[in-house]
Amino acid sequence: MTSFCLTCLPSLMKKIAVDERLKQRNLSSYAMKNVPWLGDDIKNDEDVIKWVFQIVYTRAFEAPDSEDLRIVPMGDMFNHASDYVEVEPWFDEEGNYYGYSTYDISAGSPLRISYGDSSNPSFMMARYGFLDEDSPATNCKLLPPHINQDMLDLGYEENRMLFYNTGEVSEEVWDILLYQHLSSTAVADKRALMEAHKEGDYETKQMLHEKHYQYTSARLLEHIDDFIDQLDTLGAKAEETGANGYDEHPRLPLIMKHNTFVKETFVRVREMYFAGY
């Protein structure tokens, strides 16, 4: 992914892509150069280092009992599925890898596992280089300038702040919007929200959501419209390169496809909650 490609990505996807690039650069700068049995010709070959990083990072499995990565020949040939999988991987106590079928699989059917959280297509694209169009949701891209412990307690995590492709919005998004509104307008209600959340008092939370819905819904609509405008601007920037630009920036078509996928999800949310606005 070129530097220009990064400028065509929305903020969260850009952050993920930059983090992935930084991991590869750190491998070049530190890890490889500290391996005593590698020759200098290998340590200084950026193409080899990039290849090693991509092979290990995209084909390895995380060990269940540690943060170690393990490469499993043949096991690393399974493709990804986000809706349902045919194979469930498992490690025994000695670290041996097994792949078990999840149902009776017909001849000629694909054999797929899950590469990770199916609600984060941006991560899948940054790490594995493909867009999972079967993903049931995408991150809502709500990025507060400061995230405190209350917000974390309410569920502010990338894999929980979701817009679904059905047009629905996750409960965590509504909770964070309400918290943001109450933080500057009604501190007593903010305390009540946090207390109700900690106690599992759904009725009180629902009452607070209904009381302040006109404000939280306005925040949501503003966020949706602003982000759609941002995606349109990024799309126009990418299209300015023309077909010839794809030779210099081969990831652009995939980036544009990703941005369109995210935009379509945002539009569905807008249509569900704000039809006619």
Side-chain angles (χ1 to χ4, degrees), residues 144-262:
H146 175 68
I147 301 170
N148 60 26
Q149 188 58 51
D150 282 350
M151 298 170 79
L152 294 175
D153 291 342
L154 288 170
Y156 187 88
E157 296 179 17
E158 284 186 14
N159 63 347
R160 297 174 67 183
M161 298 286 290
L162 302 176
F163 284 174
Y164 294 94
N165 56 19
T166 58
E168 296 172 294
V169 173
S170 70
E171 178 183 346
E172 289 81 2
V173 174
W174 286 114
D175 284 350
I176 293 298
L177 289 170
L178 179 58
Y179 181 85
Q180 288 179 309
H181 169 67
L182 297 179
S183 294
S184 59
T185 61
V187 177
D189 278 356
K190 183 181 80 169
R191 288 196 295 266
L193 169 66
M194 296 309 303
E195 186 66 25
H197 180 76
K198 292 174 182 177
E199 296 295 329
D201 184 353
Y202 176 80
E203 290 184 359
T204 298
K205 281 185 69 175
Q206 191 63 22
M207 179 272 294
L208 291 168
H209 276 293
E210 292 174 358
K211 178 181 177 181
H212 298 279
Y213 180 75
Q214 69 177 102
Y215 305 107
T216 55
S217 60
R219 281 175 175 259
L220 179 62
L221 179 59
E222 181 181 15
H223 170 65
I224 291 172
D225 286 346
D226 286 349
F227 196 77
I228 289 176
D229 287 344
Q230 180 188 153
L231 290 174
D232 287 341
T233 300
L234 294 173
K237 181 176 184 178
E239 289 176 354
E240 287 177 359
T241 65
N244 293 332
Y246 297 161
D247 293 332
E248 185 178 355
H249 311 290
R251 286 295 186 184
L252 269 185
L254 181 61
I255 289 171
M256 295 173 70
K257 194 174 182 180
H258 165 271
N259 291 356
T260 298
F261 174 84
V262 173

Side-chain angles (χ1 to χ4, degrees), residues 45-104:
D45 191 327
E46 289 296 325
D47 289 336
V48 170
I49 292 174
K50 186 180 297 185
W51 178 83
V52 169
F53 174 82
Q54 291 172 343
I55 289 295
V56 173
Y57 201 57
T58 63
R59 306 193 75 84
F61 296 90
E62 293 184 2
D65 56 349
S66 69
E67 296 181 356
D68 293 338
L69 296 177
R70 299 174 181 175
I71 294 180
V72 182
M74 294 304 293
D76 64 359
M77 298 296 291
F78 294 122
N79 283 329
H80 165 77
S82 60
D83 45 5
Y84 58 88
V85 299
E86 289 77 22
V87 177
E88 196 69 48
W90 178 72
F91 287 94
D92 66 15
E93 294 181 354
E94 297 179 354
N96 297 308
Y97 176 92
Y98 294 84
Y100 288 96
S101 59
T102 57
Y103 60 90
D104 290 335

